[in-house]
Structure formats: structure tokens, C-alpha cells
Amino acid sequence: MDKNVEELEKWGFPLLELYRMALQFYKQNSGKAIHLSYEDNLKLIAFKQQASCGPFDPKDAPELGVLDVIGKDRRMHWQMLGNINREQAMEGFIDLLESMCSAFRPYVEAVRKNRDETLKEELKRMEREKQEKEQKEREQQELLEEGYKEEMQRRQLQDALNKQTYQQFKTYAEKQFPGNPEQQAVLIHQLQQEHYHQYMQQLHMQNHNNASENNGTNNNSTAATRDMADISASAAQPNTDELNKDLAKLSMEGQQQTEDQHHLQGHNEDGDDYVLIQPAKIWTRPDIEDFKVEVSAGDGDGVITIGHGDTVTVRVPTNLNGKSIFWEFATDSYDIGFGIYFEWSKPVTQEVTVHVSDSDDDDEFLDEDYLSTNEDLECGSMANDRSNLNNSPLKPPISIIVPIYRRECFNEVYVGSHTYPGEGVYLLKFDNSYSIWRSKKLYYRVYYER
């Protein structure tokens, strides 16, 4: 079809579209809604042939039979159109159909009206979607900006706290893990996190007390809001005199508490003193393939697939006939986070149990804000204070034996032992929460020595 035909319009439609609409209307309604004479039908068919094939050419036309009267009549009317072009033939077909059928023009108008309404609805829908998208983007941007500001304030405050307590915590970590910078760094980080949570709770309690004092006045809501704003401002500007005083006080209290806890011993129900927790012994050995075959050949309890983002806790109760715990573990291809904790609670079972939690769940057994950073039974008053604040029952004290950090246990078997500090439950943590895509296959074995 010629390009200029596609560019022509008639009755508000492109000429080609209107012609196809007229042709379809003629085919569907001929002999039904419209009744044309034999002569009128010949004229319409002639226009159709001219629009489809161009002017009549006797050389290309096949021969007609002697008795083919209709064929001869059609050719005669086709020849009568002469050399009019295709767009003229289309217009001729449309105009002739309109003049012979009064229902055709209303049909075209109805199609156009329906199309215009559909187009309007589509445009409205697109506009609504655009507005909703813009509104959602604005809200997301506002949330991001608000979250960014809060995060920056939190980091500024935590950086100020870390600077004031770093040397103190570094000295303590060097005493606990002499000659092991990696474990020292992990312990310092845990102490700094604990210190930050303690300070934030102090701010929260201060705000709560200020709000309670203003509870009986007409300006209670305004005063509480002002107090909250003051506290938020102090958090955003950690270099103010008031904050420095609080930090100095906390640092002194933390230093005294650390020194006291280092020498303090806990007491069990019978009044006996617990000895200080001894450091764990950790080493490696190269027979990793033999180890994995031995574990796999067992009853299957020693082989676990740890999903991406998951953490597995193996709870191992102390045995009445034992004095030490031993552990061995390895993985296929990738590293895994590993650490050991001790829960000071009387075991309710002698069975070794395995518990899985993902990174979005609250750990059923370990609360990082509750963990003791001490080497003895005393787990610090901060964790117990938090439990009381939350009106939740006190959890059993938990001490860190080996902090969690990633071990390249796909090259060697990691082995370790630890002397029982008393009656309780060892918590072996295998941490894959840092892995977004990969699951890890873990081979482990735990036993005790008489």
C-alpha cells in the first residue's frame, strides 16, 4: 500500500482504517441489515478490486467462460473506473456505501465515540498511575532521608562513645585474649555495642522520667515533646558538655565494673563458688576429607545444611560424668562463622539439640544485647536491667567462651576443647547470616571427656 494512503484521513479516521471498517461492515451486513441492488453491488465490488489491485489490466485478467455473465458484469464496472488511484477507490467505496446504507455513518460514529472514551479512560488511568508512582517515590525519598538522618545521628553518637571507651576496652581485651588481635577486635566490638545500648537506655529512661513529672500539668504533651527533642539534639551532637559528662560517668562506671567483674565469682544454688572460665583450646588438623567421610557415615546427626542468612545453634548440655567438651567441624567449599557460649542453667535434658534461626528472627537462645562479656558467672547488671525494663522474665546468664568470627574450615578441620566451668549448656553457634546467596554444608562432631 502506498505511504500516502496511510497518511490520509476521512471522518476523523485514517483512510485505510476507515476503508477496512467499511469493508467489514459491508461483508457482515450485506443481505441482513442492508439490501443492495445487483447494480449497486457491482459498483462496490469494482471499487474494492480497484483499491486492492489497481486499474483493470486485460493482460493480467484470466479468460472468462461463455456463460459467466456475473464475471463479465464485474469486469465491465471495474473497467469503467478507469485509472483512478487506490485511495480514490477507497473513498469511492466509503462514499457509495454511505449513500446506499443510512446505518453505516452512525456505526462509524459509534466506533469513534467508543474509541475516544476508551482512550480517555486509558489516559486517566495512566495519569493516576503516574501520580501514584510520583507520590510513592516522594514518600520513599522522605523515608530514606529521614532514615539517613537518624542513621547519621546514631553513628555520630556511637563514634563519640567508641572514642572515649576504646582504650579501656582494648586493655581489657588484651588481658582476655593475649596475642590474638582478631579475637581482641571481636570482643572490643561487642563491648562497644553493649556500651552504646546502655547509654541509649539511659536516655530513654531520662525522657520517661521527665514525661512522668509533667503528667499532672496542662502542658504535659508539649513538655514531653520538648524533652524528647532535647534528648534527640544531644544524640545528634555528641560533643556537647552534658553528653561528655554522661560519657565520662559511664566510662568510669564501666571501668570500675570491668575491674570488679574480672575478680568476682558467682554462686550456685548450693552456695559454692564458681571458678573463672578458662580459655578454650583451639587448633586445626589437615585430614578434612577423612573427617567428612567419618561424620557422613554416622547416623546423620553430624551433617547439616545451613541456609543462606541462617544461624544454627547446637545446644550441648554438660554431662555429670564429664569434665571437658570437645568439638570438631568442617564445611564444603566455603567458610562459616563459629563461636561458643556457655549458658548458666541446669540442663533439662542430656540430649544434644539443634536449632535454626534466620537473620530476620529473634534468636531463641541468644540475645546479643544480653550476652555477658565477662569471663566468669557474673553477666553484668546491664542485661538484667534490660529484662526488667521490658517486663520479661530473666534469662539465664550467658558467658562468651569464643566470640563468633568466620573460620576457613573448608581447608582444615577446626578442633577445640574447653573445661567445664560448672553445670550448664554449651551453645555452639554456626553463623551463615552474612551469606546472601550461598548455603553451607556443615560436618560437625561433639563429645565430652570423663
Side-chain angles (χ1 to χ4, degrees):
M1 195 66 65
D2 297 336
K3 290 184 180 180
N4 58 344
V5 175
E6 298 177 358
E7 298 173 357
L8 294 176
E9 289 190 2
K10 187 177 180 67
W11 299 355
F13 287 91
L15 178 60
L16 183 58
E17 181 182 351
L18 182 60
Y19 169 71
R20 289 173 178 172
M21 194 185 306
L23 191 61
Q24 182 180 11
F25 180 85
Y26 170 72
K27 290 180 179 178
Q28 291 178 348
N29 296 283
S30 181
K32 300 176 184 178
I34 56 177
H35 299 277
L36 303 178
S37 64
Y38 176 70
E39 190 70 20
D40 291 336
N41 274 315
L42 289 176
K43 293 178 181 179
L44 287 173
I45 292 173
F47 279 121
K48 174 180 175 296
Q49 289 175 321
Q50 189 84 1
S52 302
C53 304
F56 176 75
D57 187 356
K59 296 179 181 178
D60 297 331
E63 294 183 2
L64 297 175
V66 177
L67 302 178
D68 190 359
V69 178
I70 296 177
K72 292 179 179 179
D73 290 342
R74 289 183 176 180
R75 285 193 177 181
M76 181 184 67
H77 282 79
W78 187 1
Q79 287 177 325
M80 290 171 59
L81 295 178
N83 293 323
I84 65 173
N85 57 32
R86 294 183 177 182
E87 55 268 25
Q88 290 173 330
M90 291 179 185
E91 287 189 279
F93 184 92
I94 295 168
D95 293 338
L96 182 59
L97 182 61
E98 180 196 12
S99 64
M100 293 185 299
C101 179
S102 59
F104 176 59
R105 187 65 178 265
Y107 167 76
V108 173
E109 293 298 330
V111 171
R112 181 170 59 186
K113 182 178 180 181
N114 182 63
R115 186 185 67 172
D116 292 344
E117 290 178 355
T118 302
L119 181 60
K120 288 179 181 179
E121 288 297 325
E122 182 66 17
L123 291 174
K124 289 180 181 179
R125 184 188 65 81
M126 293 175 64
E127 183 64 23
R128 285 197 303 270
E129 290 180 353
K130 181 180 178 182
Q131 292 176 355
E132 291 174 358
K133 183 178 179 181
E134 291 176 350
Q135 178 66 20
K136 187 175 181 181
E137 289 177 351
R138 284 195 299 269
E139 292 175 355
Q140 290 179 345
Q141 184 64 27
E142 291 175 358
L143 290 175
L144 287 173
E145 291 177 356
E146 182 178 354
Y148 176 76
K149 291 179 181 178
E150 292 178 355
E151 178 63 17
M152 290 302 297
Q153 291 176 357
R154 186 194 69 80
R155 290 187 181 184
Q156 290 174 1
L157 175 59
Q158 192 163 13
D159 287 344
L161 292 169
N162 291 346
K163 288 179 181 179
Q164 296 220 8
T165 59
Y166 175 76
Q167 193 59 43
Q168 161 195 333
F169 291 155
K170 183 175 183 294
T171 302
Y172 178 73
E174 288 173 347
K175 293 180 181 179
Q176 304 307 311
F177 300 103
N180 194 331
E182 188 173 11
Q183 287 188 336
Q184 291 174 14
V186 173
L187 182 54
I188 291 172
H189 175 72
Q190 291 176 341
L191 291 170
Q192 289 174 336
Q193 289 290 95
E194 181 68 24
H195 190 211
Y196 170 75
H197 289 303
Q198 182 189 19
Y199 183 77
M200 292 306 296
Q201 286 178 354
Q202 182 181 1
L203 291 179
H204 175 75
M205 290 301 297
Q206 179 184 348
N207 174 65
H208 178 73
N209 293 335
N210 290 340
S212 299
E213 292 174 359
N214 294 304
N215 192 33
T217 66
N218 293 330
N219 297 326
N220 176 39
S221 146
T222 304
T225 303
R226 184 174 62 252
D227 293 337
M228 193 66 183
D230 293 341
I231 293 174
S232 299
S234 68
Q237 299 176 1
N239 292 323
T240 61
D241 294 339
E242 183 178 355
L243 176 58
N244 286 332
K245 292 178 182 178
D246 292 338
L247 288 175
K249 181 180 178 181
L250 282 172
S251 298
M252 293 177 64
E253 292 176 353
Q255 184 175 7
Q256 183 62 41
Q257 183 184 36
T258 300
E259 293 174 356
D260 293 343
Q261 289 173 346
H262 186 67
H263 300 288
L264 193 60
Q265 293 179 330
H267 301 277
N268 60 15
E269 295 177 356
D270 300 329
D272 299 329
D273 290 342
Y274 285 111
V275 297
L276 294 176
I277 294 181
Q278 300 299 320
K281 298 178 181 178
I282 300 177
W283 65 96
T284 61
R285 66 171 196 260
D287 58 334
I288 184 169
E289 296 301 328
D290 293 340
F291 170 74
K292 290 192 286 188
V293 171
E294 290 176 7
V295 174
S296 300
D299 55 11
D301 292 339
V303 181
I304 304 175
T305 298
I306 305 177
H308 55 84
D310 289 348
T311 298
V312 168
T313 303
V314 180
R315 295 176 60 88
V316 184
T318 55
N319 192 289
L320 295 177
N321 299 321
K323 64 178 183 180
S324 299
I325 182 177
F326 284 80
W327 63 85
E328 302 171 305
F329 66 93
T331 57
D332 287 337
S333 304
Y334 303 106
D335 62 1
I336 196 78
F338 175 73
I340 301 179
Y341 304 82
F342 190 80
E343 181 180 279
W344 296 88
S345 63
K346 187 174 182 178
V348 296
T349 177
Q350 287 299 310
E351 296 292 328
V352 176
T353 57
V354 178
H355 305 268
V356 181
S357 64
D358 60 43
S359 58
D360 295 330
D361 294 338
D362 291 330
D363 198 316
E364 183 179 0
F365 302 101
L366 295 179
D367 183 350
E368 292 298 337
D369 292 340
Y370 181 78
L371 286 177
S372 167
T373 56
N374 310 316
E375 292 293 335
D376 57 10
L377 174 62
E378 296 297 322
C379 291
S381 61
M382 292 179 291
N384 295 336
D385 290 343
R386 275 197 299 278
S387 298
N388 292 332
L389 288 174
N390 295 331
N391 296 323
S392 59
L394 293 178
K395 298 180 182 179
I398 298 175
S399 295
I400 301 174
I401 298 174
V402 179
I404 295 177
Y405 66 91
R406 293 163 68 172
R407 324 278 172 149
E408 295 185 352
C409 49
F410 57 91
N411 293 322
E412 296 178 301
V413 181
Y414 271 68
V415 187
S417 67
H418 188 256
T419 303
Y420 288 172
E423 188 178 23
V425 180
Y426 281 95
L427 308 178
L428 280 66
K429 298 281 290 183
F430 296 98
D431 182 13
N432 195 34
S433 60
Y434 57 87
S435 180
I436 300 176
W437 307 111
R438 293 192 178 97
S439 298
K440 310 292 175 61
K441 190 171 184 180
L442 172 71
Y443 304 80
Y444 78 95
R445 188 159 53 192
V446 182
Y447 47 95
Y448 66 92
E449 182 183 40
R450 294 181 182 275

